[in-house]
Amino acid sequence: MVLDPVSNTYVFAPFRDCLNCHKTTVHYDKHGSYLASWMMLAGVQPGNAPLWTQITAFTPVNPAAKQYQACYRCHSYNAFGAAPTGVSPVISKSNIPLTDQPMELNPNNLSAHPVQVSLNAQAGSYAPKNLTIQQMTTTWSSVGNQTMACGDCHATPTTAGVTPTQYLLNGPRVYWPYDRNGKLWSLGDLRSGTNTWSTDLFCVNCHPLYSGGSWKNNVHAEGDHQDSYTVDGKSYSGVPCVSCHSVIPHGNKRSRLIAYGYGSSTPDPYPYIINTNTALLRGFKKASTPFSYNEGNCWSSARQCGDHSSSRMTYDW
């Protein structure tokens, strides 16, 4: 049984596709009022589930006590039913399938942005759970102990004279995973200071990545990661960010939001990866510090990743 967000009663799941009742554009345009008045809306609190497993039990919370509870009412099994890979059949206005957010932000996952719980309370993660203070902006300087709201990353869709951003991204930098010219961000952009990455790249709202002439981890600092790469037939001035990281950064079954693709018989599905030839990794193990990664922490069968062609340890799921 699931909670029907239309009638606010419990019915057999999956009870309906949201689009049976609502047009995508209508729902999209209401997001602004949802973000502004979430504390007056009914919400749901997800139950417990193992690593990267769709949560099917929800407790009504009326009114919502946390912003995510109002969002989960529609962005979950509670509304669109079964989506065992995390990907629903509902297509958003940004032209991607909606994904199951309680599944992505599950505290039992190996990584997740700290929406439900702080990083130190992320039960599924292994040490080090949080990033270092050098890897965060001053707003998030209490590393591992803070939580965030959906509205920290997502914005009101319509403002007078302003074009809504793709994925409703919020903040001074709103381009991800592509730059404003439609090309995937790469480490070469950061090294060379190209494509206005410091004022455009969405991740930099919270993560400095490269500042004061220094990188914040030795993987990004690795010289050959910043050299010319040809990925899926396209040339980049460095490794594209989404060759290693999930396109949707809510949370993941692997540490540090790492995505798997190339040559795997069970690659991550779209839209978590753009395609299997762009997502290059098949193995990853989090290091004990940001500067203690070595070639064995990553494994890939892709030609571009020859230094990581041998599987040398037990990798994340």
Side-chain angles (χ1 to χ4, degrees), residues 160-174:
V162 177
T163 302
T165 62
Q166 192 173 30
Y167 316 129
L168 295 180
L169 298 184
N170 185 27
R173 307 165 184 88
V174 294

Side-chain angles (χ1 to χ4, degrees), residues 183-258:
K183 195 167 186 177
L184 291 172
W185 291 111
S186 77
L187 288 175
D189 290 321
L190 278 67
R191 178 192 63 181
S192 304
T194 53
N195 296 315
T196 59
W197 73 268
S198 63
T199 55
D200 278 4
L201 177 55
F202 178 65
C203 309
V204 180
N205 289 332
C206 299
H207 304 287
L209 299 178
Y210 179 71
S211 64
S214 65
W215 297 88
K216 305 309 174 185
N217 70 54
N218 68 316
V219 177
H220 293 167
E222 186 66 28
D224 60 1
H225 288 169
Q226 303 162 20
D227 294 336
S228 178
Y229 265 73
T230 298
V231 180
D232 196 36
K234 298 178 182 179
S235 178
Y236 297 92
S237 59
V239 178
C241 302
V242 294
S243 288
C244 299
H245 295 287
S246 176
V247 176
I248 298 176
H250 294 152
N252 204 283
K253 53 192 169 187
R254 303 177 203 95
S255 301
R256 300 300 186 234
L257 301 174
I258 294 294

Side-chain angles (χ1 to χ4, degrees), residues 46-255:
N48 191 50
L51 163 76
W52 203 248
T53 301
Q54 193 176 27
I55 297 170
T56 59
F58 295 85
T59 302
V61 183
N62 192 4
K66 301 286 185 179
Q67 190 180 67
Y68 72 77
Q69 294 171 339
C71 300
Y72 282 4
R73 190 177 178 192
C74 294
H75 289 267
S76 69
Y77 177 94
N78 183 69
F80 48 64
T85 65
V87 182
S88 84
V90 182
I91 304 300
S92 74
K93 192 170 182 179
S94 290
N95 200 34
I96 63 169
L98 293 179
T99 56
D100 191 302
Q101 293 176 5
M103 180 174 171
E104 296 165 334
L105 295 164
N106 185 351
N108 290 320
N109 287 341
L110 284 174
S111 64
H113 271 90
V115 172
Q116 283 190 223
V117 298
S118 68
L119 291 180
N120 285 337
Q122 187 77 17
S125 179
Y126 55 88
K129 296 189 176 188
N130 55 273
L131 297 178
T132 65
I133 193 170
Q134 290 78 20
Q135 293 174 293
M136 304 300 303
T137 59
T138 54
T139 302
W140 305 103
S141 59
S142 182
V143 292
N145 300 312
Q146 292 172 275
T147 57
M148 59 189 297
C150 304
D152 289 326
C153 286
H154 295 288
T156 300
T158 53
T159 305
V162 177
T163 302
T165 62
Q166 192 173 30
Y167 316 129
L168 295 180
L169 298 184
N170 185 27
R173 307 165 184 88
V174 294
Y175 289 90
W176 173 261
Y178 301 96
D179 63 27
R180 64 173 63 235
N181 299 310
K183 195 167 186 177
L184 291 172
W185 291 111
S186 77
L187 288 175
D189 290 321
L190 278 67
R191 178 192 63 181
S192 304
T194 53
N195 296 315
T196 59
W197 73 268
S198 63
T199 55
D200 278 4
L201 177 55
F202 178 65
C203 309
V204 180
N205 289 332
C206 299
H207 304 287
L209 299 178
Y210 179 71
S211 64
S214 65
W215 297 88
K216 305 309 174 185
N217 70 54
N218 68 316
V219 177
H220 293 167
E222 186 66 28
D224 60 1
H225 288 169
Q226 303 162 20
D227 294 336
S228 178
Y229 265 73
T230 298
V231 180
D232 196 36
K234 298 178 182 179
S235 178
Y236 297 92
S237 59
V239 178
C241 302
V242 294
S243 288
C244 299
H245 295 287
S246 176
V247 176
I248 298 176
H250 294 152
N252 204 283
K253 53 192 169 187
R254 303 177 203 95
S255 301

